């Protein structure tokens, strides 16, 4: 009987007896990183709220980046820990749900984080190139439209997971490249 790679990710043949300690350790590290990501990005959002000298479009981009990273710590990393712990405790149905939900959220949030970092880089280049015209060209409305477009694009690419995961993998490779 042949199994696909996706089915193999939640099966007893994946987990050997010696690997149980390593998997438990990785789950603990994931929970620790989840807590630090949540606390760190919460502090960044509070600092951005209090900061008034930043240009509002740049501030929106930094908030978007902190929010996506906060959501990784709040959603994706705990799902990864649940997936790992379900492997250890052999809860195969929970394993499949955690694997699928985790893969979906990781793709969405990490894609959005990469798009936001790219947009921040473009914003900084525009500030250097445009000089005094930067504040007139880069405004809050255009930046908000760009962020909304990025969310829609990342969500659409991630929804392709439902139909064919290869589309999402190619999209991810193109985006990273």
């Amino acid at each position: 009987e042949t199994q696909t790679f996706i089915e193999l990710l939640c099966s007893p043949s994946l987990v050997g007896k010696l690997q149980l300690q390593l998997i438990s350790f990785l789950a603990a590290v994931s929970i620790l990183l989840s807590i630090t990501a949540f606390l760190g990005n919460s502090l960044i959002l509070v600092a951005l709220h209090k900061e008034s000298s930043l240009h509002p479009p740049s501030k929106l981009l930094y908030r978007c980046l902190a929010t996506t990273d906060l959501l990784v710590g709040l959603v994706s990393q705990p799902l990864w820990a649940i997936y790992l712990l379900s492997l250890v405790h052999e809860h195969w149905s929970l394993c499949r749900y955690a694997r699928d939900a985790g893969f979906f959220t990781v793709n969405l949030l990490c894609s959005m984080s990469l798009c936001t970092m790219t947009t921040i880089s473009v914003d900084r280049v525009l500030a250097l190139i445009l000089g005094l015209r930067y504040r007139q060209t880069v405004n809050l409305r255009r930046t908000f439209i760009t962020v909304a477009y990025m969310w829609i694009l990342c969500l659409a690419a991630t929804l392709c997971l439902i139909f064919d995961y290869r589309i999402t993998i190619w999209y991810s490779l193109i985006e990273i490249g």
Side-chain angles (χ1 to χ4, degrees):
E1 195 176 311
T2 60
Q3 288 184 322
T4 65
F5 177 70
I6 299 297
E7 292 169 348
L8 188 63
L9 290 175
C10 286
S11 69
S13 59
L14 179 69
V15 183
K17 296 295 180 197
L18 296 175
Q19 296 172 333
L20 290 177
Q21 290 179 341
L22 175 63
I23 292 172
S24 298
F25 173 74
L26 289 175
V29 168
S30 182
I31 291 169
L32 178 67
L33 290 174
S34 175
I35 293 168
T36 57
F38 172 75
L39 293 175
N41 286 294
S42 296
L43 289 173
I44 289 170
L45 287 171
V46 168
L48 284 171
H49 180 70
K50 292 182 178 183
E51 178 62 39
S52 61
S53 64
L54 280 175
H55 186 50
S58 298
K59 199 174 190 180
L60 174 65
L61 292 173
Y62 292 134
R63 280 183 176 160
C64 183
L65 182 61
T67 302
T68 55
D69 291 347
L70 177 94
L71 289 173
V72 166
L74 218 64
V75 179
S76 297
Q77 286 179 318
L79 283 171
W80 173 249
I82 290 169
Y83 165 70
L84 291 174
L85 291 174
S86 67
L87 282 175
V88 171
H89 297 290
E90 297 180 357
H91 294 290
W92 304 122
S93 61
L94 178 63
C95 177
R96 284 188 286 279
Y97 290 125
R99 177 200 63 209
D100 292 343
F103 192 59
F104 184 84
T105 59
V106 161
N107 271 295
L108 174 64
L109 296 172
C110 291
S111 294
M112 188 59 198
S113 188
L114 285 172
C115 284
T116 305
M117 286 188 285
T118 303
T119 307
I120 289 170
S121 298
V122 170
D123 178 61
R124 298 293 81 213
V125 168
L126 287 175
L128 290 172
I129 291 173
L130 296 176
L132 295 175
R133 294 179 298 152
Y134 168 74
R135 289 192 179 266
Q136 295 169 346
T137 307
V138 179
N139 58 31
L140 195 55
R141 181 178 175 272
R142 288 180 181 160
T143 306
F144 183 78
I145 290 170
T146 302
V147 168
Y149 172 74
M150 289 187 311
W151 273 106
I152 292 168
L153 179 68
C154 292
L155 184 61
T158 304
L159 285 174
C160 289
L161 281 173
I162 295 169
F163 304 109
D164 190 357
Y165 70 93
R166 290 174 288 186
I167 296 170
T168 304
I169 290 173
W170 277 107
Y171 166 77
S172 299
L173 290 173
I174 291 169
E175 181 183 34
I176 291 171

